[in-house]
Tab-separated table of all heavy atoms in Angstrom:
chain	number	residue	atom	x	y	z
A	11	SER	N	-3.880	-11.861	-11.734
A	11	SER	CA	-4.991	-12.250	-12.574
A	11	SER	C	-6.145	-11.277	-12.364
A	11	SER	O	-6.239	-10.579	-11.368
A	11	SER	CB	-5.452	-13.686	-12.239
A	11	SER	OG	-5.818	-13.797	-10.920
A	57	ALA	N	7.409	12.681	6.782
A	57	ALA	CA	7.232	12.162	5.426
A	57	ALA	C	7.315	13.290	4.393
A	57	ALA	O	7.923	13.143	3.334
A	57	ALA	CB	5.888	11.446	5.312
A	59	GLU	N	8.881	16.139	4.696
A	59	GLU	CA	10.282	16.591	4.641
A	59	GLU	C	11.106	15.659	3.772
A	59	GLU	O	11.931	16.127	2.945
A	59	GLU	CB	10.856	16.633	6.061
A	59	GLU	CG	12.289	17.073	6.124
A	59	GLU	CD	12.836	17.045	7.546
A	59	GLU	OE1	12.029	16.972	8.486
A	59	GLU	OE2	14.068	17.061	7.714
A	77	ALA	N	25.647	5.428	8.608
A	77	ALA	CA	26.394	5.461	9.856
A	77	ALA	C	25.663	4.689	10.954
A	77	ALA	O	26.286	4.001	11.768
A	77	ALA	CB	26.608	6.907	10.292
A	79	VAL	N	23.702	2.098	10.458
A	79	VAL	CA	23.856	0.670	10.155
A	79	VAL	C	25.233	0.190	10.600
A	79	VAL	O	25.390	-0.907	11.133
A	79	VAL	CB	23.645	0.408	8.662
A	79	VAL	CG1	23.914	-1.056	8.320
A	79	VAL	CG2	22.243	0.785	8.215
A	86	ILE	N	26.256	-5.795	17.197
A	86	ILE	CA	25.945	-7.231	17.177
A	86	ILE	C	27.202	-8.081	17.236
A	86	ILE	O	27.150	-9.309	17.160
A	86	ILE	CB	25.093	-7.622	15.943
A	86	ILE	CG1	25.867	-7.398	14.646
A	86	ILE	CG2	23.780	-6.876	15.931
A	86	ILE	CD1	25.147	-7.937	13.419
A	90	PRO	N	32.711	-3.947	11.187
A	90	PRO	CA	32.277	-3.214	9.997
A	90	PRO	C	33.375	-2.949	8.995
A	90	PRO	O	33.087	-2.563	7.844
A	90	PRO	CB	31.754	-1.891	10.572
A	90	PRO	CG	31.516	-2.149	12.023
A	90	PRO	CD	32.542	-3.180	12.403
A	103	ALA	N	21.419	1.080	3.515
A	103	ALA	CA	20.745	2.367	3.555
A	103	ALA	C	19.936	2.593	2.269
A	103	ALA	O	18.788	3.049	2.338
A	103	ALA	CB	21.767	3.476	3.737
A	133	MET	N	-19.076	-5.798	-10.669
A	133	MET	CA	-17.875	-5.969	-9.864
A	133	MET	C	-16.615	-6.027	-10.717
A	133	MET	O	-16.571	-6.654	-11.774
A	133	MET	CB	-18.012	-7.256	-9.041
A	133	MET	CG	-17.056	-7.387	-7.888
A	133	MET	SD	-17.315	-8.933	-6.959
A	133	MET	CE	-19.017	-8.731	-6.403
A	143	SER	N	6.225	-5.676	2.461
A	143	SER	CA	6.198	-4.625	3.453
A	143	SER	C	7.151	-4.975	4.592
A	143	SER	O	7.731	-6.071	4.631
A	143	SER	CB	4.789	-4.383	3.969
A	143	SER	OG	4.702	-3.195	4.734
A	146	GLU	N	6.258	-2.975	11.401
A	146	GLU	CA	6.741	-1.820	12.147
A	146	GLU	C	7.235	-2.173	13.544
A	146	GLU	O	7.879	-1.355	14.196
A	146	GLU	CB	5.664	-0.741	12.233
A	146	GLU	CG	4.475	-1.075	13.089
A	146	GLU	CD	3.485	0.082	13.185
A	146	GLU	OE1	3.355	0.841	12.215
A	146	GLU	OE2	2.864	0.217	14.253
A	148	HIS	N	9.174	-5.008	14.335
A	148	HIS	CA	10.525	-5.590	14.343
A	148	HIS	C	11.327	-5.203	13.095
A	148	HIS	O	12.486	-5.590	12.976
A	148	HIS	CB	10.426	-7.115	14.416
A	148	HIS	CG	9.691	-7.619	15.635
A	148	HIS	ND1	8.373	-7.991	15.603
A	148	HIS	CD2	10.105	-7.757	16.910
A	148	HIS	CE1	7.974	-8.352	16.803
A	148	HIS	NE2	9.015	-8.222	17.615
A	152	PHE	N	7.199	-8.727	5.795
A	152	PHE	CA	6.085	-9.627	5.622
A	152	PHE	C	5.651	-9.477	4.150
A	152	PHE	O	5.643	-8.376	3.608
A	152	PHE	CB	4.952	-9.416	6.609
A	152	PHE	CG	4.227	-8.093	6.556
A	152	PHE	CD1	3.067	-7.925	5.787
A	152	PHE	CD2	4.670	-7.013	7.297
A	152	PHE	CE1	2.387	-6.738	5.760
A	152	PHE	CE2	3.987	-5.807	7.283
A	152	PHE	CZ	2.850	-5.659	6.502
A	170	SER	N	-4.110	-0.998	-13.390
A	170	SER	CA	-2.771	-1.032	-12.794
A	170	SER	C	-2.670	-0.121	-11.572
A	170	SER	O	-1.824	-0.323	-10.698
A	170	SER	CB	-1.718	-0.632	-13.830
A	170	SER	OG	-1.854	0.747	-14.167
A	174	ARG	N	-0.816	-0.231	-7.866
A	174	ARG	CA	0.088	0.819	-7.471
A	174	ARG	C	-0.312	1.433	-6.110
A	174	ARG	O	0.537	1.834	-5.303
A	174	ARG	CB	0.144	1.915	-8.527
A	174	ARG	CG	0.840	1.464	-9.810
A	174	ARG	CD	1.040	2.616	-10.787
A	174	ARG	NE	1.637	2.168	-12.023
A	174	ARG	CZ	2.948	2.006	-12.227
A	174	ARG	NH1	3.775	2.252	-11.225
A	174	ARG	NH2	3.407	1.622	-13.382
A	187	GLU	N	-3.153	-5.245	9.407
A	187	GLU	CA	-4.540	-4.839	9.636
A	187	GLU	C	-4.782	-3.394	9.177
A	187	GLU	O	-5.775	-3.084	8.535
A	187	GLU	CB	-4.881	-4.987	11.120
A	187	GLU	CG	-4.804	-6.395	11.656
A	187	GLU	CD	-3.407	-6.786	12.175
A	187	GLU	OE1	-2.425	-6.126	11.761
A	187	GLU	OE2	-3.320	-7.726	12.975
A	204	GLN	N	-19.950	1.885	-5.183
A	204	GLN	CA	-20.996	1.278	-4.369
A	204	GLN	C	-20.393	0.473	-3.231
A	204	GLN	O	-21.043	0.255	-2.198
A	204	GLN	CB	-21.862	0.361	-5.251
A	204	GLN	CG	-22.607	1.105	-6.378
A	204	GLN	CD	-23.402	0.166	-7.237
A	204	GLN	OE1	-24.256	-0.583	-6.720
A	204	GLN	NE2	-23.151	0.191	-8.527
A	226	GLY	N	5.672	-21.067	7.646
A	226	GLY	CA	4.500	-21.558	6.916
A	226	GLY	C	3.193	-20.962	7.361
A	226	GLY	O	2.176	-21.145	6.680
A	234	MET	N	-14.242	-4.790	4.278
A	234	MET	CA	-15.381	-4.698	3.390
A	234	MET	C	-16.107	-3.375	3.651
A	234	MET	O	-16.410	-3.043	4.811
A	234	MET	CB	-16.349	-5.855	3.631
A	234	MET	CG	-15.705	-7.237	3.528
A	234	MET	SD	-15.257	-7.690	1.842
A	234	MET	CE	-14.271	-9.173	2.131
A	251	LEU	N	-14.864	-15.519	-6.065
A	251	LEU	CA	-14.078	-15.213	-7.252
A	251	LEU	C	-12.584	-15.136	-6.956
A	251	LEU	O	-11.747	-15.557	-7.771
A	251	LEU	CB	-14.563	-13.909	-7.879
A	251	LEU	CG	-15.937	-13.962	-8.561
A	251	LEU	CD1	-16.416	-12.587	-8.916
A	251	LEU	CD2	-15.862	-14.831	-9.814
Side-chain angles (χ1 to χ4, degrees):
S11 58
E59 179 183 344
V79 175
I86 65 172
M133 197 179 299
S143 192
E146 70 176 32
H148 302 98
F152 64 93
S170 68
R174 290 187 183 277
E187 298 88 339
Q204 298 178 56
M234 306 288 170
L251 289 169

